[in-house]
Amino acid sequence: MELKITCIPGDGIGPEIIKEAKKVLDKVGECYGHQMKYTDILMGGASIDVHGVPLTEEAVAAAKAADAVLMGSIGGDAANSPWYQLPPELRPEAGLLGIRKALGLFANLRPAVLYKELAGACPLKEEISAKGFDMLIMRELTGGLYFGERKTVEENGVRKAMDTLTYDENEIRRIAVKGFDIAMKRKKKVTSVDKANVLDSSRLWRSVVEEVAKDYPEVALEHMLVDNCAMQLVRDPSQFDVILTENMFGDILSDEASMVTGSIGMLASASLNDTRFGLYEPSHGSAPDIAGKDIANPIATILSAAMMLRYTFDLDREAAAVEAAVEAVLKEGFRTADIMSQGCERVSCSQMGDLLAEKIG
Ligand code: NAD
């Protein structure tokens, strides 16, 4: 199979981690008989330096022409980089917002996995972390409070601000379908998170999710109020498989779930539209403090590439091979600096890529 992948190395550690992800993908291609066709595009600071803008129309066209986009990270050190002297619409982050919009990405997926070998990094009590966890937060990305009408007015000398939370049933249905589809590839459980005891938008959310669930009889559906979910994530994260939720709740819960893993260099993510197309990137930023030193952890990007194999290309076996390689290398005691612990062997970014590629096949 031919896999057309547009890569955005980006800024900071981005080019280093994308290089390692390509190394692993190339090995997957070699072992399983696929051809990787990469096109690299500039975005963020790298694009500002060359084109004066963080995202060009040519770059968007190249992204659209591919089956999937694999991104490193964009952005720099806001206190020192000249990119941040520019107006907001010309700064690196504007490129990211622009490409997400251009590609119609409405579903954000963030897995939070606690590997047994990294349990020491988990800030939860040992009796909780010992059970491990492997969940995925599916967040609606283009609706809700962040995109509703807003205004600030003054009434009788008192300032008043208003934000509106709106969802229509189609927006809810398309993300629910994605959530159930993905649960079918996992442990077949969906926890739909809302605030249906208070919000109309949540009551609609709940009823549309129930309608969609009828098409997935194998998937167990439960509803959970968002405040309870925030507690359950630290009380017993092992109970979750897919958490399906709206934009703002997902924003908050996905950061909470990331924190309980304790390892920022390990967290993958994906943003999908209503085709098989997706943009895959690590959850972390461009880490300008360690850029160019070959010490970054490439695993979040490599696990994002595994998500790409599974969700865009339907290559479950190949994705599982990449994930198994990560587990095996951790089990053998190899660690990049950010996840280093006593008794383990410290390796560089490129050595980690080599070790993972060696394990495939
Ligand atoms: P960051 O995630 O880049 O770094 C936070 C800390 O984690 C730093 O100490 C860094 O060295 C470390 N870290 C991050 N990733 C690592 C990895 N793979 N291996 C080892 N250590 C790692 O967050 P920040 O410092 O707040 O942001 C830096 C820049 O990244 C900013 O310009 C920000 O806007 C941008 N950013 C981009 C994205 C994106 O492209 N999607 C996301 C978040 C932040």
Side-chain angles (χ1 to χ4, degrees), residues 11 13 17 43 71-78 83-84 92-93 96 100 264-267 269 279 281-291 295-301 336-339 349:
D11 308 315
I13 59 171
I17 53 184
M43 202 174 94
M71 188 170 113
S73 189
I74 53 107
D77 174 0
W83 300 329
Y84 295 90
E93 287 71 15
L96 190 54
R100 283 187 178 145
I264 191 170
M266 302 287 299
L267 298 167
S269 91
L279 183 147
E281 58 175 320
S283 293
H284 59 72
S286 60
D289 52 332
I290 58 166
I295 58 171
N297 185 348
I299 295 179
T301 315
T336 44
D338 57 312
I339 51 171
C349 179

Side-chain angles (χ1 to χ4, degrees), residues 22 33 38 65 103 177 181-182 191 194 204 224-225 227 234 239 241 258-259 285 302 318 323 353:
K22 282 182 179 171
Y38 305 112
L103 298 173
V177 166
D181 280 347
I182 279 165
T191 304
D194 60 39
L204 180 63
M224 193 177 278
L225 295 175
D227 40 348
V234 290
Q239 69 185 284
D241 178 21
S258 311
M259 273 318 293
I302 290 165
E318 289 79 345
E323 289 156 354

Side-chain angles (χ1 to χ4, degrees), residues 43 55 60 64 93-106 141-142 147 174 271-273 277 279:
M43 202 174 94
L55 181 67
V60 171
K64 283 186 176 168
E93 287 71 15
L96 190 54
L97 297 179
I99 202 160
R100 283 187 178 145
K101 193 164 173 215
L103 298 173
L105 305 169
F106 67 83
L141 210 51
T142 58
F147 291 89
R174 65 181 187 175
S271 301
L272 310 177
N273 64 18
F277 186 91
L279 183 147

